[in-house]
């Protein structure tokens, strides 16, 4: 329950682990319903979400993350309002095809293109432009960025397996690097590795056996040491939930979840 603010990103981060781990528990359903009500109140006319209210000043990453939440919930059979998701997709389409300056904006465009591709929306033009800009302006570093993982996952959805696998294998685990750095509010090594693991389990399950033991161990230690933010914790718990059934490494994670007043121990093998 210890969330310091009621901004869109933190409210979604509070809800996501509840229904990921909570299944059909009443507390999980309540968390989902509360998040949907909040998102409806904060979605503006173009489909993006403000951090605190529905205003013209859209928060791009929070909008991407909120739409990710809605897509995942819909895939799990939860009652996501269709109009809410349709407007979100309209915003994502504009973002994916729009201009970009700097690495963070390219990463957001790649994230948007992936989320749309995941829903069966063809994004070939945007993917080509994003990759061209990555290679032109960040030639020596772009394959270390999370945006490259989103591109690889999008290629996989397009059945471009060779291109997808080649690129995804180059994505590094940030947990293997001792230096703990961030790029803005929403991108740090824990976010990177959590999404890396999520995309791996979802789109590249055949590569799960190739994951070295160090990244999951270090990610678990980050959780135990509480060196995380609500966003990174929520993404990591989602990744661990999704990767658990697929992992052949024998990794076991013991985590504590809070659903209302109920405290339970969960174990992922």
């Amino acid at each position: 329950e210890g969330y310091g603010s009621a901004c869109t990103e933190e409210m979604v981060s509070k809800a996501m682990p509840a229904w990921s781990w909570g299944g059909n528990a009443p507390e999980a359903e309540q968390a989902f319903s509360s998040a949907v009500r909040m998102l409806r109140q904060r979605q503006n006319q173009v489909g993006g979400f403000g951090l605190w209210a529905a205003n013209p000043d859209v928060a791009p990453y929070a909008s991407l993350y909120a739409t990710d939440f809605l897509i995942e919930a819909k895939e799990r059979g939860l009652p996501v309002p269709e109009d809410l998701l349709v407007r979100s997709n309209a915003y994502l389409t504009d973002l994916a095809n729009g201009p970009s300056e700097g690495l963070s904006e390219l990463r957001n465009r790649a994230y948007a293109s992936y989320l749309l591709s995941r829903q069966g929306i063809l994004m070939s033009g945007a993917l080509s432009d994003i990759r061209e800009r990555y290679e032109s302006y960040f030639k020596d570093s772009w394959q270390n960025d999370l945006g490259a993982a989103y591109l690889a996952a999008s290629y996989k959805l397009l059945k471009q397996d060779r291109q997808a696998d080649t690129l995804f294998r180059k994505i590094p685990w940030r947990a293997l690097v001792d230096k703990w750095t961030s790029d803005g509010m929403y991108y740090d090594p824990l976010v990177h590795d959590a999404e890396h693991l999520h995309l791996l389990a979802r789109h590249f399950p055949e590569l799960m056996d190739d994951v070295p033991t160090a990244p999951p161990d270090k990610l678990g230690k980050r959780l135990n040491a509480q060196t995380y933010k609500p966003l990174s914790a929520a993404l990591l718990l989602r990744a661990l939930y999704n990767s658990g059934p697929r992992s052949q490494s024998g990794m076991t994670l013991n985590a504590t979840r809070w659903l209302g007043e109920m405290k339970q121990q969960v174990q992922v093998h």
Side-chain angles (χ1 to χ4, degrees):
E1 295 291 332
Y3 287 75
S5 70
C7 72
T8 298
E9 172 265 309
E10 289 202 3
M11 295 299 288
V12 172
S13 293
K14 180 180 179 180
M16 186 180 289
W19 55 257
S20 290
W21 294 89
N24 296 321
E27 294 87 354
E29 295 179 2
Q30 182 180 355
F32 168 75
S33 297
S34 297
V36 169
R37 285 196 300 272
M38 177 272 297
L39 291 175
R40 186 175 288 285
Q41 293 168 357
R42 296 183 184 184
Q43 189 176 48
N44 70 7
Q45 293 292 330
V46 299
F49 297 94
L51 277 179
W52 305 98
N55 53 48
D57 188 16
V58 172
Y61 182 84
S63 298
L64 289 162
Y65 183 44
T67 308
D68 191 349
F69 170 83
L70 293 174
I71 294 168
E72 186 104 359
K74 183 178 179 180
E75 291 174 347
R76 296 182 186 217
L78 293 168
V80 174
E82 190 66 22
D83 63 315
L84 189 65
L85 186 54
V86 167
R87 288 197 297 271
S88 297
N89 284 339
Y91 172 76
L92 262 61
T93 300
D94 288 342
L95 179 60
N97 290 294
S100 52
E101 293 184 7
L103 200 57
S104 63
E105 291 189 5
L106 273 175
R107 188 183 309 123
N108 283 346
R109 289 183 63 197
Y111 190 10
S113 298
Y114 163 69
L115 292 174
L116 292 165
S117 297
R118 194 161 134 192
Q119 298 174 82
I121 300 170
L122 189 63
M123 298 300 298
S124 300
L127 293 171
S128 296
D129 182 68
I130 294 165
R131 179 154 187 164
E132 180 179 339
R133 290 177 180 274
Y134 263 132
E135 292 176 338
S136 297
Y137 299 110
F138 304 97
K139 179 180 178 181
D140 298 326
S141 61
W142 77 274
Q143 292 179 346
N144 296 327
D145 189 71
L146 181 59
Y150 289 132
L151 288 183
S154 299
Y155 296 151
K156 198 73 170 180
L157 290 165
L158 291 170
K159 308 300 183 184
Q160 298 174 7
D161 291 350
R162 180 176 297 180
Q163 188 175 16
D165 294 348
T166 299
L167 179 56
F168 197 81
R169 288 179 185 275
K170 295 178 181 178
I171 310 300
W173 293 98
R174 295 292 190 180
L176 298 177
V177 180
D178 290 334
K179 190 175 181 181
W180 191 253
T181 58
S182 301
D183 179 13
M185 291 177 59
Y186 303 118
Y187 186 54
D188 61 31
L190 188 52
V191 168
H192 175 102
D193 284 353
E195 283 291 83
H196 187 182
L197 181 60
H198 170 64
L199 296 171
L200 172 68
R202 188 178 189 94
H203 302 291
F204 302 88
E206 70 279 3
L207 301 181
M208 285 293 293
D209 288 346
D210 297 336
V211 178
T213 57
D217 288 346
K218 288 196 174 185
L219 291 174
K221 288 177 181 177
R222 294 287 183 186
L223 282 180
N224 290 335
Q226 298 187 0
T227 54
Y228 56 81
K229 299 177 181 178
L231 171 65
S232 54
L235 291 175
L236 181 54
L237 286 170
R238 175 177 71 167
L240 291 168
Y241 179 88
N242 289 336
S243 66
R246 295 178 173 88
S247 177
Q248 302 299 317
S249 64
M251 179 188 72
T252 298
L253 169 80
N254 288 305
T256 301
R257 69 177 179 192
W258 289 90
L259 297 174
E261 297 298 319
M262 176 177 62
K263 182 179 179 181
Q264 293 182 299
Q265 291 295 322
V266 293
Q267 192 174 73
V268 177
H269 296 285

